[in-house]
Amino acid sequence: QVQLVQSGGGSVQPGGSLRLTCEASEYRRCMAWFRQAPEKERDWVATFASDGNTNYIDSVKGRFTISRDTAKNILYLQMNSLKPEDTAMYYCAAAQWDYGCRSRAQIAFGDWGQGTQVIVSS
């Protein structure tokens, strides 16, 4: 089992930026960020596959950037131009196989970070 330790997040005004970090105890082919807004189900935000392919949900395209330091097993999520609707608990997730990145289904991810709160409010 991979341990995922998250850091970053916090409270910011609309239009601001935050960066989330996820340190993994070992390598996994597919890494991703999910989020869960209040009273909503958890949903994927961005994925980073072993071949470097990335995907984003439409609502964050052009604003969020997922990146990865494979040598250090660290995953990042740079969030710019934040909106109130980005307010959520954000989770890092890891999947042993790239199927996770293709399916973006939570069931494909066996390891999860502890979550970090992002609040976007004026």
Side-chain angles (χ1 to χ4, degrees), residues 12-28:
V12 66
Q13 292 185 342
S17 298
L18 288 171
R19 188 175 82 158
L20 305 182
T21 299
C22 174
E23 296 186 51
S25 59
E26 58 186 84
Y27 175 77
R28 283 293 182 265

Side-chain angles (χ1 to χ4, degrees), residues 77-108:
L77 184 67
Q78 178 66 44
M79 304 182 292
N80 298 328
S81 302
L82 282 161
K83 303 176 180 180
E85 51 263 43
D86 295 317
T87 295
M89 185 71 79
Y90 284 71
Y91 296 91
C92 169
Q96 187 172 3
W97 308 108
D98 278 326
Y99 168 76
C101 283
R102 294 193 299 271
S103 71
R104 301 150 203 173
Q106 295 185 53
I107 195 172

Side-chain angles (χ1 to χ4, degrees), residues 4-75:
L4 303 175
V5 179
Q6 297 180 222
S7 59
S11 183
V12 66
Q13 292 185 342
S17 298
L18 288 171
R19 188 175 82 158
L20 305 182
T21 299
C22 174
E23 296 186 51
S25 59
E26 58 186 84
Y27 175 77
R28 283 293 182 265
R29 288 183 177 272
C30 169
M31 299 288 290
W33 290 98
F34 286 75
R35 69 184 179 186
Q36 186 168 18
E39 300 181 357
K40 292 188 177 180
E41 293 187 355
R42 188 163 58 184
D43 199 2
W44 76 282
V45 175
T47 62
F48 198 117
S50 63
D51 61 358
N53 186 43
T54 59
N55 282 285
Y56 301 88
I57 54 169
D58 288 344
S59 61
V60 307
K61 285 181 180 178
R63 301 188 297 121
F64 290 14
T65 302
I66 188 171
S67 61
R68 185 172 181 175
D69 184 333
T70 302
K72 297 181 179 179
N73 292 326
I74 300 176
L75 182 73

